[in-house]
Amino acid sequence: QVQLMESGGGLVQPGGSLRLSCTASGTIWSVGVMAWYRQVPGKQRELVATIHLDHTEYAESVKGRFTISRASGENTMYLTMVGLKPEDTAVYYCNAQIWPSEWQSPGTYWGQGTQVTVSS
């Protein structure tokens, strides 16, 4: 009953910028930690950025270039990417800890992913 959907991916030239969005929908009581992951063919999915209540975390490869944020009062998360490099090419997935109701334990949910291709 809970779904996550990413958007904003596409083709961009090296040095370009892109902003990804992730929106949670369905029956939601509360949303906890949210994060962005990415995966390239033949590689393990890697954690890109995480947003907690009071701080954010980033993979060393994206520090200074990517910014994770969350809209106030909305179940939407963003990943603003600047100075994109070819090695940033991957399918980007959003991940979130969600409580469907106040009486249920939380679950971890994934979006279907959005393709980001950085190429000249």
Side-chain angles (χ1 to χ4, degrees):
Q1 60 182 353
V2 176
Q3 292 186 326
L4 293 179
M5 182 178 289
E6 304 95 338
S7 63
L11 175 64
V12 65
Q13 296 189 79
S17 302
L18 211 58
R19 188 178 80 158
L20 306 182
S21 299
C22 173
T23 300
S25 61
T27 303
I28 300 173
W29 175 254
S30 181
V31 179
V33 175
M34 299 184 79
W36 284 99
Y37 286 76
R38 67 184 180 187
Q39 186 170 33
V40 299
K43 300 289 185 178
Q44 184 176 357
R45 187 171 299 184
E46 69 169 329
L47 177 62
V48 176
T50 307
I51 184 165
H52 301 265
L53 291 176
D54 60 347
H55 72 282
T56 56
E57 299 175 359
Y58 299 91
E60 287 296 323
S61 60
V62 307
K63 283 185 177 179
R65 299 188 299 117
F66 290 11
T67 301
I68 187 171
S69 60
R70 186 171 171 179
S72 177
E74 298 179 25
N75 295 321
T76 302
M77 172 179 64
Y78 305 95
L79 184 66
T80 302
M81 307 180 289
V82 299
L84 285 164
K85 306 174 180 180
E87 48 263 49
D88 291 318
T89 296
V91 175
Y92 284 70
Y93 299 89
C94 64
N95 174 270
Q97 179 185 47
I98 300 174
W99 280 260
S101 75
E102 61 181 320
W103 312 112
Q104 296 177 269
S105 58
T108 298
Y109 299 85
W110 293 90
Q112 293 184 310
T114 184
Q115 177 71 48
V116 171
T117 302
V118 185
S119 176
S120 60

